[in-house]
Amino acid sequence: MHTVSAQNENTSNSHAIFWEVTGKNLEQPSYLFGTFHLMGNEFIDANPIILEKFKTCKTVAGEMVMDSTMVPKMMAASMMTETTLDKLLPKDVR
């Protein structure tokens, strides 16, 4: 695993927050982007290598900082209105 930074793709920096994960039997790299809550969106916008790598990803998973006003919205969004568990799960696990 090595660091990808805006200055040099092969930087060895223990404080880096964006890592490229490569290794034995991996067909393509994965990327791990650490938390940057205090830096703001400008940090990503100012780092074209990070944006370039994001564009090559098939899947992106992230985290959110939620406040109490978001909880009702998240609960409503998680409700299954178009299907049921009976339709989603096989009979042997219901």
Side-chain angles (χ1 to χ4, degrees):
M1 183 163 75
H2 68 276
T3 318
V4 177
S5 72
Q7 292 79 27
N8 180 344
E9 287 198 18
N10 294 311
T11 300
S12 178
N13 183 348
S14 62
H15 300 293
I17 65 168
F18 189 61
W19 295 82
E20 181 178 68
V21 181
T22 58
K24 186 177 179 180
N25 299 324
L26 292 179
E27 294 179 17
Q28 57 191 11
S30 293
Y31 300 95
L32 176 62
F33 188 44
T35 188
F36 68 104
H37 298 287
L38 300 177
M39 295 179 189
N41 292 342
E42 300 82 25
F43 176 79
I44 295 175
D45 295 338
N47 289 280
I49 290 175
I50 294 174
L51 291 172
E52 175 187 321
K53 299 299 182 180
F54 273 4
K55 290 178 184 176
T56 67
C57 295
K58 293 179 183 176
T59 304
V60 175
E63 65 176 318
M64 296 186 334
V65 176
M66 291 180 42
D67 63 25
S68 61
T69 64
M70 294 177 70
V71 173
K73 295 175 191 173
M74 294 299 291
M75 289 179 66
S78 67
M79 297 297 290
M80 291 187 296
T81 58
E82 303 295 322
T83 191
T84 65
L85 285 176
D86 286 344
K87 293 178 185 174
L88 294 173
L89 297 174
K91 289 182 180 181
D92 62 332
V93 295
R94 288 190 229 157

